[in-house]
Amino acid sequence: ANIFIVGYAYQIGALPLSAEAIEKAIELNGEAVEMNKAAFGWGRVAAIDPAKVEALIKPPAELRDDVLKLSQSFEEMVTRRVEFLSQYQNAAYGEQYRKLVDMIVAAEAQKAPGKSGLADTVGRYLFKLMAYKDEYEVARLYSDGAFRKQVAAQFDGDNLRFEFHLAPPLLARHDRETGLPKKMSFGAWMMPAFGMLAKLRFLRGSAFDPFGYTLERKTERQLVQDYRSLLDEIAMRLNPENHHLAVALASIPEKIRGFGHVKARHLKAAKADEAVLLEQFRSGGAPLLKAAE
């Protein structure tokens, strides 16, 4: 995608480089050279003939009904996310999400009339935290049929070879210099293994969850609990003066990005911002004054 944008930028004259120089840089980088050269070329085409690119990427007729469309209303967004979470874990898990969102909808209407944005923010980021991508979810996404449909739509032929690069928490070795887990290669036999693992998602978070004892999984579960507690406090203390702070607090999960050590680094910064906002929120919305030195 990045190289596609580079191609577009080059074609409209926004880059003071030659096409030859850019393609040479792609070759020197040595990563997916042919694919990146093609992306650069199609980016150039998009700048002068976007219809040609759109026609190329239009899904086959048999797959068009599966293409996700943006929700047209808040209620549609919530309903779709309830359905997703029900498949992610179970129906009760989906209903937990709906009840918490409904609580904030009611609080915003009653305690901050005329204000908006809080319920939508909670609907977005509560879902993000509850649908954290663990081993069971990766397995479900590979084995529920959607992945194979995407592959069939993009590649022709029956000689496709699948290779998965994963860092299983119980199997992956750690790099001696960085201390980070090293990814391992797995073959096509992982597809039926994914199917079996997805069926075990009822173990998620239980005492019998073999992945649940890692620090990362414990942290993800704790983030959900912390956010639920935060929503309870927001619903209790919300008023027109601190509404903007409530929205900012509810948006904190946006800053928690990535996986593993990247996510841990972002989490630390996000929690620091949350502490400042929470203190202001509890003070009624008034900005905190720093003590004179």
Side-chain angles (χ1 to χ4, degrees):
N2 289 334
I3 301 300
F4 181 91
I5 296 299
V6 169
Y8 188 98
Y10 167 79
Q11 193 64 33
I12 64 173
L15 296 180
L17 300 168
S18 68
E20 291 76 14
I22 293 173
E23 291 186 346
K24 184 63 176 178
I26 291 173
E27 293 173 359
L28 291 173
N29 187 51
E31 292 291 335
V33 173
E34 294 306 316
M35 183 179 72
N36 280 318
K37 281 187 174 182
F40 176 68
W42 280 109
R44 296 181 63 182
V45 173
I48 57 177
D49 190 0
K52 186 174 183 178
V53 178
E54 291 173 4
L56 179 71
I57 64 175
K58 191 174 184 179
E62 64 271 17
L63 294 181
R64 287 174 195 167
D65 291 339
D66 295 337
V67 176
L68 294 178
K69 298 179 181 179
L70 293 176
S71 299
Q72 300 301 307
S73 67
F74 175 76
E75 180 54 37
E76 183 182 352
M77 178 194 78
V78 171
T79 298
R80 289 175 64 178
R81 289 176 176 173
V82 168
E83 292 173 355
F84 184 98
L85 291 172
S86 296
Q87 295 176 15
Y88 174 91
Q89 182 69 14
N90 53 41
Y93 196 65
E95 283 306 309
Q96 290 176 25
Y97 169 82
R98 183 184 292 278
K99 287 180 180 179
L100 286 167
V101 172
D102 287 347
M103 177 184 72
I104 296 300
V105 169
E108 187 171 37
Q110 295 169 8
K111 297 187 175 183
K115 302 284 187 178
S116 63
L118 178 59
D120 183 76
T121 300
V122 170
R124 184 183 307 277
Y125 294 116
L126 174 61
F127 172 78
K128 176 184 177 180
L129 293 179
M130 292 183 70
Y132 60 88
K133 191 171 287 185
D134 60 3
E135 292 77 13
Y136 301 108
E137 180 62 357
V138 169
R140 186 183 74 84
L141 293 175
Y142 271 124
S143 62
D144 68 356
F147 171 70
R148 286 194 176 276
K149 285 185 178 181
Q150 291 175 350
V151 171
Q154 295 180 39
F155 301 98
D156 295 324
D158 300 322
N159 298 319
L160 295 176
R161 182 174 64 87
F162 292 110
E163 185 174 347
F164 303 94
H165 300 272
L166 309 168
L170 302 180
L171 300 176
R173 297 180 180 179
H174 288 71
D175 188 282
R176 292 183 179 180
E177 295 183 2
T178 66
L180 301 176
K182 298 171 64 175
K183 288 191 176 182
M184 305 165 60
S185 296
F186 298 87
W189 63 269
M190 281 299 297
M191 289 301 289
F194 282 142
M196 295 176 60
L197 182 58
K199 293 178 181 179
L200 296 176
R201 62 185 179 274
F202 65 89
L203 296 175
R204 179 186 281 125
S206 73
F208 301 100
D209 180 1
F211 309 108
Y213 294 95
T214 65
L215 178 60
E216 187 171 2
R217 299 293 169 254
K218 289 179 180 179
T219 299
E220 286 165 336
R221 294 197 301 272
Q222 189 60 49
L223 283 173
V224 176
Q225 294 301 322
D226 291 348
Y227 198 73
R228 289 177 176 177
S229 298
L230 176 64
L231 295 183
D232 288 337
E233 183 168 354
I234 286 175
M236 180 178 64
R237 295 176 180 266
L238 184 66
N239 60 54
E241 287 69 37
N242 65 17
H243 178 272
H244 66 290
L245 292 169
V247 175
L249 278 168
S251 301
I252 286 293
E254 167 64 20
K255 301 180 180 182
I256 307 172
R257 301 177 180 180
F259 298 93
H261 65 288
V262 176
K263 186 173 186 177
R265 185 175 69 249
H266 288 163
L267 175 59
K268 184 177 180 180
K271 283 297 184 181
D273 291 343
E274 181 184 66
V276 173
L277 288 169
L278 191 55
E279 190 172 355
Q280 292 182 36
F281 179 78
R282 289 169 175 170
S283 70
L288 298 176
L289 299 178
K290 292 184 179 180
E293 295 181 358

